[in-house]
Amino acid sequence: ALSSKLDVAFKKLSRRGVLRPADVKNGLREIRIALLEADVHYKVVKDFIRRVEEKAVGEDVLKSLTPAQQIIKIVRDEMLDVLGAPAPVNSDTSPTVILLVGLQGAGKTTAAAKLAKKFKKEGLKPFLVAADLQRPAAVDQLEQLARDIDVGIYATKETKNVLNTVQKGIEAGRKNFAKIIIVDTAGRLQIDRSLMEELVLIKKKVSPRETLLVADAMAGQDAVNVAAGFHDQIGIDGVIFTKVDSDARGGALLSLRMVTGTPIKFVGVGEKSDDLEAFQPERMVSRILG
Amino acid sequence: IKGPGLPDETFFQEVEELLLEADLGFRTVAQVIETARQKLRSGQTPEEAFHHALLGLLSPSGRYLNLKGEDRPVLLFVGVNGVGKTTTVAKVALRLKEEGMRPLIAAGDTFRAAGSAQMQVWGTKIGVDVVAKPPGHDPAALVYEAIDSADQNGYNALLIDTAGRMHTKKGLMDEIGKIKRIIEKKSGTKPAETLLVVDATTGQNALRQAEIFHDALELTGLILTKVDGSSKGGIVFSLESLYNVPVKLIGMGEGVHHLEMFDPRKFVEALFS
Ligand SMILES: Nc1nc2c(ncn2[C@@H]2O[C@H](COP(=O)(O)OP(=O)(O)OP(=O)(O)O)[C@@H](O)[C@H]2O)c(=O)[nH]1
Ligand SMILES: Nc1nc2c(ncn2[C@@H]2O[C@H](COP(=O)(O)OP(=O)(O)OP(=O)(O)O)[C@@H](O)[C@H]2O)c(=O)[nH]1
Ligand SMILES: [Mg+2]
Ligand SMILES: [Mg+2]
């Protein structure tokens, strides 16, 4: 674990009063490796290490902590600062339209059902719109999930017109007196111009209250580019971080935050419609540090 | 790395960052840099040094699908959730059909909503028969029946799609182990291919996936999907050097023809472009 690696690095320092730059450099090297192995983007690591170094140099080694613990505390605090507090979904408009976007296979369709189930439990009537008209049986998938959780859904296979389907779906949700309308979209690459333009148009015509990026916890360095691509082109109001039940360290989250500043709203912790949790910053920090 | 002149420390730092950003991983990058330095000292150009250092990490095993060994090869597709297994099964099945084989698909995902339906829609699109059962049906029993069907109806290849599963879930790993044993018992031989499908956007966790799936199933190959995205898929270098399991195919798009054989040289070239 990182703490034991740092203990080794700092074995000689337990008697000194202040952490000197050379001492800190050793510890930072271990932290850099830990963060890179946790899939944090190397530029984010560089920036993060610099901030930790600024805070660590010259600090008194507290009587009750070993230098390793002190550096870890600084790293933890800095990471908590970056990850920010969990943010709720804004449901101040009626109805609240939530648009789910992200790469292929990230977990959007599953997240749509999870969100719907959560809102239903909270007494906010949800409604689903199956706007992935491209993937084989995508509409069937969301329809099945809607049946499982007993939530209304607009699902059609009669058209390939995505914008039209989104608009009709929202209309159906309104007629259904839904409070929260969740729109599932087809997975797409942020470098796919025509599919990103499709999202820009949907956002323009429909003005969703929340556009949530659904991102996979197993993602590597490229998460930075994906987040930046989606945020720059369509604007992201929050992130749902999925597949956290894997043993991926999830460093992509740190990158997502530092690059887009978007709040983390939820984490996906499994395949079932119950497997949605609030984002817990402390747990995530422990996981990323390893 | 194609430039003239002798590389300095800034050059090495830039290459290190390029390789880190490609998901090679800290340890593998250190290994590559060290090997390249040695090759540079022995007189190679920077381009040669790095190309050889990277190619040297890849598995020497063959990269063709093993279809020749038996009259009805079984190809088992496994992997974690959402990586592209179902889509890849369709791509490979069509490729085999286009090469004159008579493939049969087993829609082995009887767990996820529309898991089986998705495979069936693909089967219809590509004109390949699919053995399917209602949701909740035991996947091992389905595989058993699919092998029977293949033998009784003259299909000469069986492709098995399976449900996505986290390598961290013991019950699910036990299930896939059981499916493989069923194939072995029924066919009298191991599957011709046991392929781990890996998403190119995956970071270091791909190593954990390979470790656990290889331990449970003895993988014969990897398939790297979503190479058409912005991710470089550099995790392949660590995967191959640590587990000696070769990437056989790459998926480069959602269309059914977006499948290619893995070309190590092209892959290394693409890293630096
Ligand atoms: N273990 C686990 N699996 C998940 C989680 N979220 C989604 N999945 C699974 O990941 C796979 C992909 O999920 P989907 O909801 O189909 O992903 P998607 O983003 O809608 O995919 P596309 O529509 O093709 O872009 C499915 O097998 C889901 O069951 C999660 O939090 N944990
Ligand atoms: N861009 C791109 N998308 C791909 C590729 N291969 C698969 N996909 C997409 O990735 C998503 C998931 O593909 P699936 O085939 O459902 O993945 P899976 O592994 O079977 O998923 P589960 O069964 O839920 O675990 C779909 O939207 C596919 O179209 C690829 O090579 N490139
Ligand atoms: Mg979907
Ligand atoms: Mg599948």
Side-chain angles (χ1 to χ4, degrees):
Chain A
L2 181 61
S3 50
S4 44
K5 292 208 186 103
L6 290 186
D7 277 334
V8 169
F10 289 143
K11 230 178 23 218
K12 313 186 198 74
L13 302 182
S14 44
R15 306 271 153 58
R16 292 207 198 101
V18 175
L19 290 175
R20 300 183 314 196
D23 310 329
V24 170
K25 276 266 185 298
N26 280 331
L28 291 183
R29 187 175 173 279
E30 292 299 332
I31 293 166
R32 176 172 179 262
I33 295 172
L35 293 177
L36 287 173
E37 292 187 329
D39 290 322
V40 181
H41 191 270
Y42 80 88
K43 283 193 187 135
V44 172
V45 174
K46 229 184 199 174
D47 189 34
F48 187 82
I49 294 290
R50 189 179 42 79
R51 288 154 66 137
V52 168
E53 185 168 18
E54 283 170 9
K55 294 219 163 68
V57 175
E59 280 232 4
D60 291 315
V61 174
L62 303 180
K63 302 259 172 357
S64 58
L65 292 176
T66 66
Q69 284 175 341
Q70 174 138 11
I71 292 256
I72 290 206
K73 175 157 192 329
I74 293 171
V75 171
R76 279 182 162 277
D77 290 346
E78 194 60 29
M79 204 175 281
L80 280 173
D81 192 48
V82 170
L83 289 181
V89 166
N90 294 302
S91 50
D92 46 359
T93 53
S94 215
T96 292
V97 175
I98 300 175
L99 185 68
L100 298 182
V101 302
L103 293 181
Q104 291 88 348
K108 298 174 293 300
T109 305
T110 311
K114 288 176 179 180
L115 284 172
K117 184 163 191 179
K118 165 190 142 65
F119 289 124
K120 183 173 178 183
K121 268 204 207 131
E122 296 172 357
L124 298 167
K125 182 171 186 183
F127 188 82
L128 290 165
V129 177
D132 178 357
L133 307 180
Q134 180 259 352
R135 167 172 149 160
V139 173
D140 302 81
Q141 185 184 3
L142 195 59
E143 271 189 307
Q144 177 62 48
L145 292 173
R147 268 196 296 276
D148 292 346
I149 60 177
D150 190 23
V151 163
I153 181 169
Y154 179 83
T156 173
K157 295 192 201 153
E158 303 302 304
T159 173
K160 285 275 171 246
N161 187 330
V162 175
L163 175 60
N164 213 316
T165 301
V166 175
Q167 290 168 321
K168 285 215 177 97
I170 292 174
E171 194 46 41
R174 283 181 198 277
K175 289 215 177 80
N176 211 286
F177 306 109
K179 173 75 180 104
I180 315 260
I181 301 176
I182 301 159
V183 180
D184 179 27
T185 66
R188 67 202 64 216
L189 304 175
Q190 85 283 3
I191 53 175
D192 185 323
R193 301 201 76 198
S194 61
L195 284 184
M196 290 307 289
E197 278 176 19
E198 175 183 272
L199 276 188
V200 170
L201 189 61
I202 291 173
K203 225 182 145 170
K204 186 155 159 249
K205 296 282 183 181
V206 151
S207 302
R209 179 67 183 84
E210 294 261 343
T211 302
L212 302 181
L213 176 67
V214 180
D216 193 321
M218 304 183 293
Q221 299 276 306
D222 197 50
V224 154
N225 301 321
V226 175
F230 275 91
H231 194 47
D232 293 345
Q233 294 178 70
I234 62 164
I236 299 294
D237 301 307
V239 171
I240 299 180
F241 206 49
T242 63
K243 305 180 201 170
V244 162
D245 50 310
S246 68
D247 53 2
R249 300 264 292 273
L253 198 61
L254 203 66
S255 312
L256 280 167
R257 275 290 294 170
M258 281 188 83
V259 167
T260 68
T262 40
I264 323 287
K265 305 237 169 177
F266 299 103
V267 292
V269 296
E271 297 193 66
K272 304 202 220 65
S273 51
D274 289 314
D275 295 334
L276 187 74
E277 287 181 2
F279 166 58
Q280 293 166 337
E282 302 268 1
R283 283 179 76 179
M284 209 61 226
V285 168
S286 303
R287 187 183 170 116
I288 294 174
L289 287 179
Chain B
I1 58 169
K2 303 197 178 176
L6 225 48
D8 57 3
E9 278 316 301
T10 323
F11 167 80
F12 281 107
Q13 189 164 353
E14 287 177 3
V15 176
E16 182 194 41
E17 292 182 343
L18 179 144
L19 296 178
L20 279 177
E21 193 169 30
D23 282 318
L24 264 77
F26 176 79
R27 294 185 200 290
T28 301
V29 171
Q31 204 179 332
V32 168
I33 302 272
E34 187 45 39
T35 308
R37 281 186 195 273
Q38 289 173 12
K39 293 188 185 291
L40 281 162
R41 280 197 288 271
S42 71
Q44 290 186 17
T45 67
E47 186 177 12
E48 288 167 342
F50 275 98
H51 277 220
H52 290 148
L54 287 159
L55 287 171
L57 289 173
L58 298 178
S59 166
S61 309
R63 293 178 188 276
Y64 284 97
L65 284 181
N66 170 28
L67 303 169
K68 303 253 167 22
E70 38 211 278
D71 8 294
R72 192 255 303 124
V74 176
L75 310 177
L76 179 65
F77 293 77
V78 302
V80 303
N81 306 76
V83 294
K85 298 176 292 299
T86 305
T87 311
T88 303
V89 167
K91 291 177 180 178
V92 177
L94 181 61
R95 180 66 60 89
L96 296 187
K97 179 179 167 196
E98 286 171 344
E99 291 178 356
M101 294 187 83
R102 259 201 90 217
L104 175 68
I105 292 172
D109 182 356
T110 51
F111 172 74
R112 201 205 71 207
S116 179
Q118 183 184 0
M119 191 75 262
Q120 292 179 65
V121 171
W122 269 119
T124 308
K125 275 185 194 282
I126 61 177
V128 171
D129 294 333
V130 178
V131 173
K133 292 282 175 205
H137 193 96
D138 175 20
L142 185 152
V143 166
Y144 191 93
E145 288 183 48
I147 293 175
D148 267 340
S149 177
D151 292 338
Q152 289 160 14
N153 298 302
Y155 296 99
N156 55 16
L158 176 63
L159 294 89
I160 304 177
D161 184 27
T162 63
R165 67 200 65 230
M166 281 305 169
H167 50 289
T168 48
K169 307 218 155 103
K170 179 160 193 321
L172 298 183
M173 292 311 293
D174 288 344
E175 177 185 83
I176 198 72
K178 177 175 172 205
I179 288 173
K180 178 161 187 185
R181 282 195 302 282
I182 297 263
I183 297 169
E184 291 177 3
K185 282 187 82 183
K186 194 101 177 76
S187 307
T189 173
K190 288 202 192 112
E193 290 283 354
T194 302
L195 301 162
L196 179 68
V197 181
V198 177
D199 188 324
T201 67
T202 313
Q204 301 308 305
N205 194 250
L207 300 181
R208 288 287 296 154
Q209 295 171 24
E211 178 187 7
I212 309 253
F213 275 91
H214 193 39
D215 222 29
L217 304 175
E218 206 185 323
L219 304 172
T220 60
L222 308 172
I223 300 181
L224 188 71
T225 60
K226 309 182 197 172
V227 170
D228 48 316
S230 48
S231 180
K232 297 274 181 170
I235 196 68
V236 160
F237 294 96
S238 310
L239 283 170
E240 292 207 8
S241 70
L242 286 173
Y243 300 108
N244 196 17
V245 180
V247 173
K248 300 215 169 182
L249 298 165
I250 55 173
M252 47 234 293
E254 299 192 74
V256 78
H257 283 111
H258 293 142
L259 183 78
E260 271 186 18
M261 261 198 70
F262 181 73
D263 180 338
R265 292 199 175 279
K266 268 176 83 181
F267 197 72
V268 169
E269 281 284 336
L271 262 195
F272 291 101
S273 60

